[in-house]
Amino acid sequence: MGVEVEQRSRTGDTRRNVVALLVLVVVAAAAGFVGNLLQGDDVGERYLALDRPAWAPPQEAFGIVWPVLYLLIAIAAWQVWRTSGGLAAARGPLTLWAAQLVVNAVWPGVFFGAGAFWPAVAVILLLDVLVVGTLVQFWQRSMLAGVLLLPYLAWIFYATGLNLAIALAN
């Protein structure tokens, strides 16, 4: 009898973990989807038309980098959710995580959609602060979650420099 209850409990935990991971992946991907909608059409052409620094990535890099980053962002959040013991216990770090995703989704609309390069600098600086805060909170809950956010932080800092360089040149 005890083995059956334990097995059912493990099965329920596994199911709950998988559902939570899928939800977090969908939420992170939705941020990317909203960002794509807000940036408008012909983004590749508009990016190529900008005066960009020599160290700017080719436009193809964005389509490769962002899906990987969104997946890492989701897995990091899942790790915090899982190691904290659920949503209630992880509310603070996951609220910060959600806030940075919202700002992440807004930035393409400001930079590409509106062509407002200097306001986009302000948005991405806010994103930098939120990502650093999220990483610190995540690291305190799970070193793995913090490590999973390091590539995102590096890319965001790189994007901040690129945004600033483009604002100065255009």
Side-chain angles (χ1 to χ4, degrees):
M1 174 92 163
V3 172
E4 182 179 310
V5 169
E6 185 178 321
Q7 179 126 14
R8 229 178 315 135
S9 175
R10 262 191 266 139
T11 302
D13 287 346
T14 301
R15 193 171 298 133
R16 195 170 32 256
N17 277 329
V18 169
V19 168
L21 178 58
L22 290 175
V23 166
L24 293 167
V25 167
V26 167
V27 169
F33 180 74
V34 169
N36 280 339
L37 288 177
L38 294 176
Q39 71 188 4
D41 296 328
D42 303 322
V43 122
E45 290 174 24
R46 286 184 282 141
Y47 176 72
L48 292 176
L50 294 172
D51 226 354
R52 293 168 285 126
W55 47 270
Q59 76 181 67
E60 300 81 27
F62 298 101
I64 296 167
V65 170
W66 276 110
V68 172
L69 290 176
Y70 284 125
L71 183 59
L72 292 174
I73 291 165
I75 294 169
W78 175 73
Q79 179 67 15
V80 166
W81 173 84
R82 198 176 61 75
T83 59
S84 297
L87 185 58
R91 180 157 296 157
L94 292 179
T95 299
L96 199 51
W97 176 82
Q100 64 81 27
L101 279 177
V102 169
V103 174
N104 181 308
V106 166
W107 180 88
V110 177
F111 186 88
F112 286 111
F117 303 135
W118 285 106
V121 169
V123 172
I124 204 164
L125 287 172
L126 174 59
L127 181 59
D128 291 342
V129 169
L130 290 170
V131 172
V132 167
T134 302
L135 192 149
V136 167
Q137 293 263 325
F138 277 27
W139 197 287
Q140 291 171 348
R141 302 286 177 123
S142 162
M143 189 171 79
L144 175 59
V147 168
L148 288 169
L149 288 183
L150 288 174
Y152 178 41
L153 181 65
W155 184 259
I156 291 299
F157 281 169
Y158 175 66
T160 301
L162 184 59
N163 188 156
L164 185 57
I166 289 172
L168 288 169
N170 293 274

